[in-house]
Amino acid sequence: MRTQVAIVGAGPAGLLLGALLHRAGIANVIVEQRSPDYVLGRIRAGLLEQGTTELLLQAGAGARMQREGIPHEGVELAFNGTRLRIDFQALTGQRMTIYGQTEVTRDLMDQRAALGLPTVYEAEAAQPHGFDGTHPWVSYRKDGVEHHLAADFIAGCDGFHGICRAALPAGAVSCFEKVYPFGWLGILADTPPVSHELIYGQGERGFSLATMRSTTRSRYYLQCALDDDIKGWSDDAFWAELKLRLPPDVAARLVTGPSIEKSIAPLRSFVAEPMRFGRLFLAGDAAHIVPPTGAKGLNLAASDVALLASSLADFYAGAGGDTVGLDHYSQRALARVWKAERFSWWFTSLMHRFPETGGFGSRMQQAEFDYLCGSEAAQRVLAENYVGLPLAV
Ligand code: APR
Ligand code: PHB
């Protein structure tokens, strides 16, 4: 089989890249190791920047999001008993949209299937080859048969544990990482959200977040110890702890119910540089991870693939193969990635209790929050980063 762009991974990055390339008339094949149901079964954040919603519309996969997504014009911070609302609309003119990553993935998958674009699910042992030359290819095994997918370019959209970054020669990539000394315990429940807007909380007992998937489905998170056993967190224990961390009037109106999903996720900041090696390009979680505070993961994946798709479109549009965009992809993508890394790290640092934080550290957090409360400039900095910095395209 031969195509123009071989995409490894059918998460949101790979699927959105495939859709944008198709719109630009560029043939692509996606090779994914899991089944569609497995991919859709992953529960992740559900908060889209305006730039991401615009990309989904541009890709032709935004109709349901436009109907069912819930626009949010602000967010609340509750810090040691003081509440602060950050008004995105007033401070930046932009809004966020609540629409689950599962739904984004489903819409892109459905669109891809409706267009008849090739996706190989349950492909085993995918491996990129020859990307330091002009004829790269991806090998994989499907139903016991070896396949060879020849392409002009390979896009590594295969997530943090994928094969593309791992296939790079030793020394070709520098990795920067920070692992946080706590995790997020998340619960999904078919109960009405406790508040129309998100509430990020920080106090004596640690971080909490009240978010949602829809007007009837809530998502809550609690900072927990990394070695906490999920079996030790009954639904009752979760709700009881959440009530202690939410502001009292919010806790009083919390509607609880049986969880439909419960899991613990570690928090990590990670960047691999560069994001291009010859004809192999990394995008999304394959190249970087952010801690979930601020929900930048999916949005960063979207901005990477927008840049990659437009660089590839420039290449194919020019008869001589305009490589300027491709040559600058890594540098331009990383410029935005590092800013989102900075914001996610800052927001995580402000809103969590760190085991090593002594009296000085907690007063620094308090001073940071007090400064935010008193300074519109500081609020605008938060808002501008939260709604997403401009795409590098
Ligand atoms: N061969 C083929 N597919 C692979 C391989 C492999 N060797 N390794 C991983 N994959 C697939 C995974 O099964 C997954 O479906 O690549 C896909 C990567 O998807 P994600 O992990 O969702 O990453 P990405 O598309 O970059 O999405 C970024 O997802 O992890 C969240 O916080 C992140 O919200 C952000 C978004
Ligand atoms: C979510 O809705 O799951 C979510 C929202 C905001 C975050 C993280 C997760 O910062």
Side-chain angles (χ1 to χ4, degrees):
M1 193 166 24
R2 169 156 191 96
T3 189
Q4 287 176 298
V5 181
I7 301 173
V8 185
L15 288 165
L16 180 57
L17 178 63
L20 292 170
L21 291 178
H22 173 74
R23 285 263 144 165
I26 301 169
N28 61 88
V29 175
I30 303 185
V31 176
E32 162 63 49
Q33 68 180 357
R34 304 288 188 179
S35 68
D37 283 349
Y38 184 99
V39 171
L40 287 173
R42 300 193 192 106
I43 309 281
R44 269 131 178 210
L47 189 58
L48 308 183
E49 294 171 359
Q50 197 164 308
T52 304
T53 60
E54 283 159 12
L55 280 172
L56 286 166
L57 289 167
Q58 206 179 305
R64 192 163 68 98
M65 172 198 68
Q66 240 178 349
R67 281 195 312 276
E68 296 177 14
I70 307 174
H72 275 193
E73 298 189 347
V75 67
E76 199 173 343
L77 308 188
F79 194 99
N80 284 335
T82 304
R83 314 262 287 267
L84 171 67
R85 181 172 184 270
I86 304 290
D87 187 333
F88 311 141
Q89 193 64 35
L91 292 163
T92 69
Q94 295 202 39
R95 44 164 59 168
M96 301 294 282
T97 300
I98 282 286
Y99 192 66
Q101 180 169 319
T102 309
E103 306 313 315
V104 170
T105 308
R106 191 190 308 280
D107 293 348
L108 287 163
M109 272 183 180
D110 289 351
Q111 181 207 34
R112 198 167 171 88
L115 291 168
L117 302 180
T119 314
V120 184
Y121 283 101
E122 297 177 285
E124 291 167 60
Q127 187 75 38
H129 305 271
F131 43 83
D132 47 354
T134 49
H135 299 289
W137 77 98
V138 172
S139 61
Y140 62 92
R141 197 163 54 243
K142 170 80 182 164
D143 299 329
V145 180
E146 289 291 335
H147 292 266
H148 181 118
L149 171 62
D152 298 331
F153 299 99
I154 300 174
C157 299
D158 48 351
F160 183 63
H161 300 288
I163 187 62
C164 289
R165 194 179 74 248
L168 298 172
V173 56
S174 303
C175 295
F176 302 88
E177 184 172 45
K178 178 175 174 62
V179 176
Y180 298 84
F182 41 73
W184 274 22
L185 167 64
I187 207 172
L188 194 63
D190 277 328
T191 55
V194 71
S195 163
H196 166 64
E197 289 181 346
L198 271 59
I199 305 176
Y200 290 86
Q202 149 77 313
E204 286 262 294
R205 305 184 71 88
F207 170 86
S208 62
L209 171 59
T211 173
M212 67 202 73
R213 290 290 171 273
S214 69
T215 52
T216 57
R217 182 167 285 188
S218 313
R219 178 88 168 143
Y220 297 101
Y221 298 98
L222 294 174
Q223 172 181 354
C224 65
L226 269 177
D227 57 1
D228 267 13
D229 183 353
I230 193 78
K231 291 194 221 75
W233 280 99
S234 65
D235 288 0
D236 285 348
F238 184 96
W239 296 122
E241 182 62 29
L242 180 63
K243 281 185 183 167
L244 293 172
R245 296 195 198 183
L246 290 173
D249 63 308
V250 177
R253 56 170 201 266
L254 178 73
V255 180
T256 63
S259 65
I260 47 178
E261 195 265 352
K262 201 177 345 166
S263 53
I264 294 179
L267 274 71
R268 179 198 304 273
S269 298
F270 172 88
V271 181
E273 289 184 349
M275 288 169 62
R276 180 227 179 143
F277 306 85
R279 289 191 168 227
L280 170 63
F281 295 83
L282 300 178
D285 277 18
H288 41 74
I289 297 287
V290 284
T293 332
K296 290 283 157 245
L298 170 61
N299 294 294
L300 267 188
S303 60
D304 285 353
V305 300
L307 186 58
L308 185 52
S310 76
S311 304
L312 287 165
D314 288 349
F315 175 86
Y316 285 110
D322 174 359
T323 65
V324 176
L326 293 173
D327 291 342
H328 290 93
Y329 166 74
S330 175
Q331 183 204 331
R332 291 168 77 194
L334 282 166
R336 190 173 190 280
V337 165
W338 275 114
K339 290 184 196 127
E341 290 283 347
R342 186 206 68 82
F343 174 68
S344 306
W345 159 83
W346 172 82
F347 202 22
T348 301
S349 307
L350 175 65
M351 297 306 291
H352 292 77
R353 285 195 81 80
F354 287 71
E356 73 275 15
T357 301
F360 183 81
S362 55
R363 276 164 183 74
M364 284 294 102
Q365 286 180 321
Q366 185 66 53
E368 181 91 42
F369 183 74
D370 292 347
Y371 178 56
L372 261 179
C373 290
S375 164
E376 193 189 279
Q379 291 176 27
R380 182 167 287 115
V381 170
L382 196 168
E384 191 169 276
N385 282 275
Y386 197 94
V387 300
L389 297 174
L391 294 185
V393 186

